Amino acid sequence: MRIAFRLLSKRPNAKNECPIFCRLTLSGQRPVEFSTGQFVAVEKWDKKAQRVIPKRDKGLELLNEFLDNSKYKLSVIFNDLSVKGESFTALDVKNKFLGKETKPVSLLTLLNEHIKRCEKLSVEKDKEGRFKLSIGRLKRYKVFRGKLITYLKMKKIDDINLNSISKSFFYEFRDFLQDENLRENTIGVYQKILLRLINISMDYEWIKQNPFAGCKIETKKTDRIKLDQKEINTLVNKEFSVDRLSVVRDVFVFCCYTGLAHTDVKILSPKHITVDVNGEKWIEIKRGKTNELCLIPILPQAELILNKYSNHPVCSSKGLLLPVSANQNMNAYLKEIADLSGINKHLTTHIARHTFCTTICLNAGISLEAIQKAVGHANIRTTQVYAKMNKVGMSSEFAKLKNL
């Protein structure tokens, strides 16, 4: 084991002294660092010797003695662990030196703690007023917990230690979910949660390596549902006797012409509206999911809806531009709206986003780069999902052949 000391010169304290860190390196393993709790000025540190330059200063001489004693204690711990003949890591040496034993953590314990944290985030809001974690994601974690408990009971165990998890657990759990008649993509969602828990345990150094390294999540590509222009017009022209359906329809159509996700349209306020040098109005808002800035031109159809609700009591009291219901409620109302409008598609708030990318933008010849910027995708590969040719796009392309 190699023991080295270094000064973190970029992290001075109020006395302009920098912390001394210890770095442990075992052959073939990732190095481990920790603070010694000691500080010294940069000019008094010998980088090559990894020691303090005493200059007849008793305090600095004691600091060198501390480093020597620390190195000796670390070497003793390393030798003791080596004599036992069991495998160990630099982290084990560090923990013993600091008096912290690595406590085994179980999978359900970790999941329960993670759900508690998610519950807290689901009621906290960010600077924009969005909840830090969606209710839908929290619900998925809780459903996953139920599936995991059922699986463990089937294996006749109450829980499993993280250090006991192997690659076989990944595939056996997948087989269990398949026996539950879950769709392949749903199984993939639960497998991603499992991987997330493993990554958390590695971040906290509760396990030394990823037991699922090399495991693959199998998913199927699905066609994204979208509305064509005729269906959008059908919604716009439909008269509803119930006011709540009219409001939900208007919000949905607004999203069809802006591409805003539910979490973003719900907090849309006058501060998100800008006017460029040509007098054109734009929506500028950071997307909650990616924190990417969305730059969306306000099309005439969208502006009509904004004007319609400019004096709505909910908007006036909350300083918002539209009276947006909770996502779960909107999706329930959209099902009713689709039935009344004769649209044979399962409408959800997210379908409006798909419709904007395809029917509104791609069919009009808008570039993928511009669409990416409008909808706030962090990676253009996400936007490319919408680039599948449809009948409108193919008709436009093959029309060029008529003049041959």
Side-chain angles (χ1 to χ4, degrees), residues 102 146 201 242 316:
T102 305
S201 63
V242 183
S316 300

Side-chain angles (χ1 to χ4, degrees), residues 86-276:
E86 298 177 359
S87 62
F88 63 93
T89 66
L91 176 63
D92 295 318
V93 177
K94 166 198 159 184
N95 286 336
K96 277 190 169 294
F97 177 76
L98 298 176
K100 296 190 291 186
E101 297 292 337
T102 305
K103 295 181 180 180
V105 178
S106 68
L107 183 59
L108 265 181
T109 299
L110 173 59
L111 177 57
N112 287 330
E113 288 299 317
H114 187 62
I115 288 176
K116 285 181 182 178
R117 179 175 176 272
C118 290
E119 286 175 333
K120 185 178 179 182
L121 291 175
S122 68
V123 295
E124 293 180 355
K125 292 185 177 181
D126 60 19
K127 294 179 181 179
E128 291 281 358
R130 304 183 189 87
F131 288 109
K132 293 182 178 179
L133 187 125
S134 69
I135 295 296
R137 183 173 297 184
L138 176 61
K139 184 179 179 181
R140 282 196 293 274
Y141 281 125
K142 290 184 176 180
V143 173
F144 169 81
R145 178 170 59 185
K147 297 293 182 185
L148 180 61
I149 290 173
T150 303
Y151 169 73
L152 293 173
K153 283 183 178 179
M154 187 190 73
K155 303 288 285 186
K156 296 182 179 180
I157 56 176
D158 295 326
D159 205 346
I160 184 169
N161 192 293
L162 288 170
N163 288 308
S164 301
I165 294 177
S166 63
K167 190 171 290 188
S168 62
F169 182 93
F170 183 88
Y171 292 111
E172 288 173 4
F173 184 58
R174 183 194 64 184
D175 293 341
F176 161 77
L177 294 175
Q178 287 175 338
D179 292 339
E180 292 275 294
N181 294 321
L182 297 179
R183 293 180 180 178
E184 196 164 4
N185 288 355
T186 303
I187 294 173
V189 169
Y190 293 145
Q191 287 180 308
K192 286 178 182 177
I193 294 175
L194 187 59
L195 290 176
R196 171 67 179 144
L197 294 173
I198 292 298
N199 288 334
I200 290 173
S201 63
M202 290 182 67
D203 290 341
Y204 280 97
E205 299 181 333
W206 291 329
I207 58 175
K208 300 176 179 67
Q209 58 186 6
N210 186 352
F212 301 148
C215 292
K216 292 184 178 181
I217 297 174
E218 297 178 2
T219 57
K220 286 184 177 179
K221 290 185 178 180
T222 57
D223 292 330
R224 295 175 182 265
I225 300 174
K226 58 186 179 299
L227 299 185
D228 57 33
Q229 191 61 57
K230 183 180 178 181
E231 289 168 326
I232 297 173
N233 294 338
T234 298
L235 283 180
V236 171
N237 296 323
K238 178 67 178 176
E239 295 288 340
F240 296 103
S241 58
V242 183
D243 186 58
R244 62 175 170 81
L245 296 182
S246 296
V247 173
V248 170
R249 181 270 314 276
D250 290 340
V251 173
F252 179 81
V253 171
F254 179 83
C255 291
C256 285
Y257 283 104
T258 59
L260 286 173
H262 176 269
T263 185
D264 301 323
V265 74
K266 191 173 183 179
I267 64 163
L268 194 65
S269 67
K271 71 178 182 180
H272 298 120
I273 307 298
T274 62
V275 182
D276 63 20

Side-chain angles (χ1 to χ4, degrees), residues 272-283:
H272 298 120
I273 307 298
T274 62
V275 182
D276 63 20
V277 292
N278 297 318
E280 299 292 335
K281 292 182 180 179
W282 293 75
I283 295 173

